[in-house]
Structure formats: structure tokens, C-alpha cells
Amino acid sequence: MTTGIRDKVAILGMGCSKFGERWSDNAENLMVEAFQEALVDAGIETNEIDAAWLATAIEEQHVGKSGVPLAMALRLPYIPVTRVENYCASGSDAFRGAAYAVASGACDIALALGVEKLKDTGYGGLPQRSRGTVNDMYWANVSAPGAFAQLATAYMAEHRVSREDLKKAMAHISVKSHDNGSRNPKAHLRKKINEDLVLEAPMIADPLGLFDCCGVSDGAACAIVTTPEIARSLGKRRLVTVKALQLAVSNGIEAQHNSWSGSHFATTRVAAKRAYEEAGISKPRDQISLTEVHDCFSVTELVTMEDLFLSPFGGSVADVRDGFFDAGGAIPCQIDGGLKCFGHPIGASGLRMIYEMYLQMQGRAEERQRQQEPVFGLTHNLGGFPHQNVCSVVIVGQEGA
Amino acid sequence: MTTGILSFGAYLPRARLSRQAIFEANAWFNPGLKSLSVGERTMAGWDEDAVTMSTEAARACLEGKDRRNIGGLYMASTSYPFLDRQNSGIVADALNLRSNVQTLDFASSQRAGTSALLVALGGGSNAHPCIVTAADKRRTKSSTELELTSGDGAAALLVGDGEPLAVLLASHTETVDFVDHFRTEESEFDYTWEQRWVRDEGVMKIVPGAAQSLFSKTTVSPDQVTHACLPFPQKRTNRSLASKIGLREGAVRDNLQSNCGGTGTAHPLLMLAHALEDATPGDIILVAGFGQGCDVLLFQATEALASFRKRAAVEGQLALRREETNYQKFLAFNDLVVMDRGLRAETDKMTGLTTHYRNRDMTQGLVGGKCDRCGTVQYPKADICVNAECNAVSSLQDHPLADMAAKLNSYTADRLTYSADPPAYYGMVQFDVGGRLMTDITDVDPHVGLRVGMPMRMMFRVKDYDPKRGFRRYFWKAAPADIQ
């Protein structure tokens, strides 16, 4: 019987670069920017880090392969560096590697850093690239919005939701995230929008319009983790500890077996269940204080609320439109603007989410600080496509909670 | 056993380009095209070529037939996608025919279609039937008569022993190096000579001569012909020809010029298939193929045709139409205009020939697997069964899926990803027998769109072009299942 990760690892320090179109910076500059903030926050020196994990997803667009780019940029002293690629869950998976290293006792202090430099393609959206030589021969020519848009068509059919109602709920999600992003100085998109603008925007992949899609950004984020004991010995108080680290990966059932309806994430449900159990959470809708979910598209966020058991099955449209997930609602979702507005430098995104939870729990989120003190924060990444993906669920919280 | 035509099929692309639209775009330069500006021509999609159209015609022809018994596949075209890779071999692969099938490509003349049919009808043992297919997607220069009078399409005939629908009474071939047009290794387009000369010195002399020889070989006289398949685009030419041969005027069949256009090597066979739809037992059918000479074939419909399940081979294809009035799109689909296709179109589409060969059943044949333990059908065929309750190892047996009925589970119309014909439609397509795949969707009528639960059928299409190396790879796409 596993005992899980709960309270075995504490966050010692975190950093996050400004996200956006960082035309004048290389990925290395972004890594150093996030790292310097984390190092100062942790109050340690580089040579106190025992091992590091580097997350990048589309490395051919920027740093290239391996752990070397991180070691070179940060001048790490010949320590182990592992490069992690697991679609959009890469950042969370790097965090998992660092946390496990600390929990195992193999390391005292470990670093997880995620970076992506996506704005060197010459066009908007994610880079168009090969999916692998065999896959290229039979996969549909999917884009990310096109893959996720299908959640909407399947969801409408399964729950008998009208296109208009769904579009309005999705619009609410985007308007909310833009409101939140406007209060975040590090966010990529900081303009408020309204529902009409969302509904009238050009179509990207039916039924997802321009404002249903998150930004594609340059950026980096990082975490330095250690044991609660070491954190305390370094003078840290009010520790934010790791409560759960779960990952669920599609095995072909959604893509190849007719049991999946297409309107939800099979992986998210499994990862969430395991994470709540690991964290000792029995009533997520009552116990989770804040969420940062993988809102690559508005519909992803909508469906994910159900898959995380925060909304009842078929109930997210109503919850969203009631403002349940707004910044002032019961469980704010993307209080920092989310992927939608903070931006989505793939490898950095999971760590950016944990960064926000860490700030909120320490009362350091400034203008966007949640007044009601957060206890449990859940972060969620969904990499790949609804029909075959990698899902991570991380729960962090106040030590002892 | 009697040898003859055992089945027939046709395929026409759904889009019909209005000739008025072609004329209007070109009238400023060539007002003389006005006389040809009536009706419409078939227009292949960007993902169609002679191979894909042949495959679809052959599928229609083979519906309900045992494919394991097919002994030959002859294809005719003058617009082959591959010059040195057997095109009929790709069709045979797409049809999942046995590897000991005899495949041949007939080419280099507009009468290649009738020649292929003649060879099949006369060739050796017909114990194993031979499928003859002809298809053309002729690239024509903009603002030419040929652009207006041509159409894209394919026909297929199954030839062999058994209970034929029609038997060959006689045939004759004349070979004359009459160069009305030509295309060489160095040229992209046909170079054509004056139509009046082609008609008077070519068609009107060579075809009647061949017909005279044909009728000298049989007791049938020209006036007994009930269906004359004369593939020339000008109705007047066909009428004059009929009169010169001695055919009854009423016997001259619709040359499908008004609603299809001339489909090149396929056209005589397409007209023959069309005639077989209308014919009654005993009817006499004359077919002519013209190009550096002439093939003439004389068939008689048998009693078997009466009980043959009526299939709307050509009429059905003609009825499945979607009007297109965008001439610019036609130019773009045929690579006749330099377009900025965007940076996303620059993605390298190289195909590893090793990968291609190893996975050809999966890709060209759309062969999935069926688990012999739990019965779950799945695609692609993997080593371990996908059913979580089973997960048996090495339990999957080949299970072709191309002809399985399917439904749409989810879909989108994507304007971000690169498509030669945006938006890119794709979705999760689920087979009624089990198995599913996220696949590209083609032939979507934007006015009708898609819906969850919509019946779909799989179509053999070009998946990707690799402009750097000139290769193209084929795969199966879903299309809304047309009600026939």
C-alpha cells in the first residue's frame, strides 16, 4: 500500500518570467529570469541544488534536446539534469520528478524548470509539425483547437445542450479569464473583453472562436522543492506542501475503443480520483479552494470542471454561468488568467499554475489575491488531444491541512 | 461458360463546376468560348486523382462481389499520378485484392480505356474475373476548350466468365498515328490542333472505317445498334458519325457533355456503364474509343441484365452533385495558379518508403484488427487488444474496414490547420462493427454540414502531397454517406 506524497515535500521557492511575445529574448533568457526569482525566493545558492528537471515540449523550436540547455543556461555544477517531455503536462511532470527525488531522500533540494519559446514560427498558434512517421500516414491533420472543438460537438449531443447555451457558457469562461488576467502583471493578455466580442469573433475550429482559444506564449517558470524539515531549517514558515501528484496517460481506449463518448476526459477522471485520495480530500467541491486548470480552450475548462468532480456530470454549463468559478465565486478557476490570458508556454504552464497557488497561499498575489485564505489548490494539465492525452493533477496546500 | 461484362461501376467527383463560371472568368481573353459555356463539368477535389477515382469506381463495381476471386486489375489513364510506380497496383492494394492479381497500366492514348477492356475480354483464362478501370483528371491550360469540355471521373467494369450482363459480339481496332493533340515528357499540358481538322480528317474518317470493319465481322448490322457510345464532346459530331456509320439517330447516347464533361480514357467505359443501366436484354451496344486510331466494341445485353440488381452507377453519380461556381478554386485544386498557402503548408511531408511499405495494409488497405478472444474490432491493428477487459496479446486478426458502415461521433471544421480546401473537416468516425479512428473528412457540403450520429462511408483519397519529392500518400477519409 503506497502512502503517497502528501506533506513529504515543501515548496522552497518559485519563479515565473513574464509570459508573452518575448521577441528579444531566447529561451535561455527566460529560464534565467524565472530561476533568479526562485533562487532569491528560496534563499539558497545554485550549488545547493542536487538535481534538476527541465520541461520543454517543442524543443526543436528553441533549446533542442536533453538536459544540457538548462545546465548551460543556469551554470549548474555538473548535477543530474533530466529533460521531460510529456505534451502540455511536461511542467507538472518535471515538478513530479523533482518532488519524488526529494521524497525518496535522494536529494535535499531539487529544481523543476519549464520553458517554451513558441513565437519563432512565423505564424500564430502552435507550430505545425510531424506527429511521428507512422502517425503522419493516418492521423487526421488535427490542430489543437480542432481536436478540442470536438468535445463541444460531443458534449452538446450527449447532454442535449444547445449550441447557443454552450457558446454562452464558453464565452463566460473567456470573459472571466480576461478579467483575471487584467489583474496580473505577468500575464500575456491583459485586456478585458465582453461576451458579445467573444460570440462575434472569427471561427477558428467550429464551434471554437478566437476568444475560446488560449494564447501561445514565450515564458518560463520554476520551482525549488525540499523536505518540510529542511525548509523550516532554512527559516521558512507557513509552508506550502505537495498533497498529491498524479498523472494518467491514455492507452488507446478513447482513440480506438467505442466505449468513450468523446465529451469528457477519461484520464482526468482517473487522475483526479487518485489525487483526491492521495491528498485525503473526500468532497472536492467543498474542500478545494482554488483551481488552475488546463484551459487551452474554453470548452476544455468547462468539461474539466466535471471531470475533476467539481461540477456534477452535465452540470458545468450551469455552474459556469452562475459564476461558481469566477474570481469571487466558490472555487475560482484561473485566478491568474489561466492559459487563456497568462499565456501558454507549454513546458512552463504546469509550473506557472503551481506558482500561482504558492503565491495565493502565501498571500502574495497582490491585486488578484483571494481574500478567503486558500487551503487546497488544484492544478491540472491536459496534454495532447481529448482522444489521446496526458493528464496531470497536482494538489498543493497549507502544511498539515 | 460465357465471357462478358459481369458488373459495372462509376465514380464522379461531387463538385460540378459551372461552365458559365469558367467562361465568365475567361471571356475577356477568349470570348469564343461562349458556345461552350452551358452546363457543368465534374471537378475533382484536391485530394482526388486517377488512382483514387479508379478505386471508387472499382468499389462500386465490386459491391457484393467476392474480391478474393479477382485475377486481374487493368487500369487506363493519361493522367497517372505515378510514371514509374504501378498505379493499378495502388488500386489493387486499396481494394485489398490478393497479391497474385495481374495488374497493368494502360496509357498514352485517349483510347487506353477501350484497349484495356478489349485485352481483358480477350485475355487468356477468365476463370478469375478481371476488373478494368479507367480514370482521368486531365490538367488543362486555363481558357482552353479542353478545360470546358473535360470532366474528371472514372468507370470500372468486371470482366470474366459466368453469367455476363453483356457479351462481346465483335471488336475491331485501327491504329493510325493521327496526332490531334499530344503531351510529352517535357510538357505539362496537351498541345492541340484545330478542331475542324480533327473532326473531318480524324474522327469522321477513322471511326467509320473501324466500324465498317467491325460490322463485317458480325451478322449484326449498324441499324440494329440500340445504344451507341460515341465519346466525342460535340453532339453534332456524334450525330454525323452515326449517320456515316449507318446507325439510327435515336441510338446515339447522351455523351454526358452537359452534366459531366469528357472523362478522357474513362469516357467510353462510363458511357458503356450508363448504357447498361438503360439497356434491356437483347440490346446491341456499340462503344468507340478514339486516339491514334480507334477501338470499336459491339456488345449484346443478356437476360442476366434483367435480373441484375439495378444499380444507378452513372445516374446515381450524376445525381450526387454539389454546384461549384468558384473558378479560382478549380485553378487552385489543379495547381494552375500560384497561391500563398501559408507557412503551415511548408511542413515536410516526407514519406519514409520503409515506413510506407511496412504499414501499407494499415494505410492503403484500411485493415484493422479483430480480437479472436473478445471480438473487439479496432484500428490500427496492434499487438495487444485495446479492450481493457481483454488485453490479449497477438490476438488480432486482419479486419478490413473500408467498406464498413460508420457513424460520426464528433467533428470540427478547422480553419487553423493547413488544408488545400479549408476549413479542414475531421472527426471521430466509429464503425458499426466496432473500431474507430480520428480521420479527415472529405466531400462535406458546407450547406449541409455535419452532425453527430451522421452515417459516414470511407473514401480512398490523397492524404498528403510532398512537393519537395513529388510523392503523394494515400489514405482513407470519411465522407457523409450519400443516400443512393
Side-chain angles (χ1 to χ4, degrees), chain A residues 121-130 133-147 149-151 153-154 157 203-207 251-262 387, chain B residues 343-344 347 349 351 355-356 358-359 362-363 376-380 386-388 409-419 424 426-428 430-431 434-440 452 463-464 473-475:
Chain A
T121 55
Y123 50 86
L126 290 173
Q128 192 102 12
R129 61 199 188 279
S130 168
T133 49
V134 177
N135 293 336
D136 283 345
M137 296 175 71
Y138 77 99
W139 279 24
N141 189 22
V142 289
S143 73
Q150 294 178 58
L151 281 172
T153 51
M203 203 55 86
I204 301 296
D206 192 88
N251 58 18
I253 288 181
E254 304 100 296
Q256 297 163 11
H257 192 262
N258 290 348
S259 53
W260 180 62
S261 71
H387 65 285
Chain B
L343 296 182
R344 286 176 187 278
T347 311
K349 298 290 186 184
T351 303
T355 326
H356 181 265
R358 190 168 60 240
N359 294 287
M362 173 182 106
T363 54
T376 302
V377 176
Q378 51 210 279
Y379 183 89
V386 72
N387 178 5
N409 201 63
S410 65
Y411 65 92
T412 189
D414 188 339
R415 290 203 170 270
L416 182 70
T417 198
Y418 171 70
S419 167
Y426 51 89
M428 185 65 88
Q430 188 162 308
F431 296 100
R436 52 165 55 174
L437 76 157
M438 177 69 67
T439 190
D440 293 315
V452 172
K463 169 117 179 70
D464 283 305
R473 54 186 171 215
Y474 296 95
F475 187 54

Side-chain angles (χ1 to χ4, degrees), chain B residues 253-386:
Chain B
R253 288 195 61 87
D254 177 7
N255 63 356
L256 304 176
Q257 187 55 217
S258 67
N259 50 2
C260 172
T263 55
T265 56
H267 212 60
L269 307 196
L270 190 73
M271 289 184 70
L272 170 59
H274 198 211
L276 288 169
E277 277 179 59
D278 293 344
T280 49
D283 280 2
I284 306 284
I285 303 167
L286 175 75
V287 183
F290 181 80
Q292 292 78 56
C294 181
D295 290 326
V296 275
L297 298 84
L298 197 67
F299 291 97
Q300 183 162 31
T302 68
E303 289 299 328
L305 190 61
S307 55
F308 189 68
R309 193 165 63 80
K310 269 288 174 193
R311 61 188 61 187
V314 180
E315 279 302 317
Q317 291 292 310
L318 287 168
L320 293 172
R321 65 181 280 282
R322 176 169 49 78
E323 188 181 31
E324 182 61 67
T325 54
N326 192 335
Y327 176 68
Q328 180 74 14
K329 197 187 262 193
F330 172 79
L331 295 181
F333 282 7
N334 288 283
D335 210 10
L336 295 167
V337 63
V338 180
M339 273 183 71
D340 181 2
R341 296 180 186 273
L343 296 182
R344 286 176 187 278
E346 292 173 13
T347 311
D348 197 332
K349 298 290 186 184
M350 184 183 188
T351 303
L353 297 181
T354 42
T355 326
H356 181 265
Y357 181 68
R358 190 168 60 240
N359 294 287
R360 68 193 189 284
D361 285 353
M362 173 182 106
T363 54
Q364 288 186 170
L366 199 71
V367 176
K370 182 174 181 174
C371 179
D372 61 19
R373 301 276 182 81
C374 71
T376 302
V377 176
Q378 51 210 279
Y379 183 89
K381 187 180 154 192
D383 289 329
I384 303 177
C385 175
V386 72

Side-chain angles (χ1 to χ4, degrees), chain A residues 86 232 246 288 371:
Chain A
N86 221 351
R232 267 189 290 278
Q246 289 297 334
I288 296 292
Q371 292 313 307

Side-chain angles (χ1 to χ4, degrees), chain B residues 128-168:
Chain B
H128 296 293
C130 175
I131 181 134
V132 179
T133 169
D136 258 314
K137 180 186 175 185
R138 298 174 76 183
R139 269 182 89 223
T140 52
K141 278 184 182 170
S142 182
S143 195
T144 54
E145 281 189 26
L146 205 55
E147 179 180 48
L148 283 140
T149 59
S150 298
D152 304 322
L157 296 156
L158 185 66
V159 171
D161 293 345
E163 287 185 18
L165 309 172
V167 291
L168 184 71

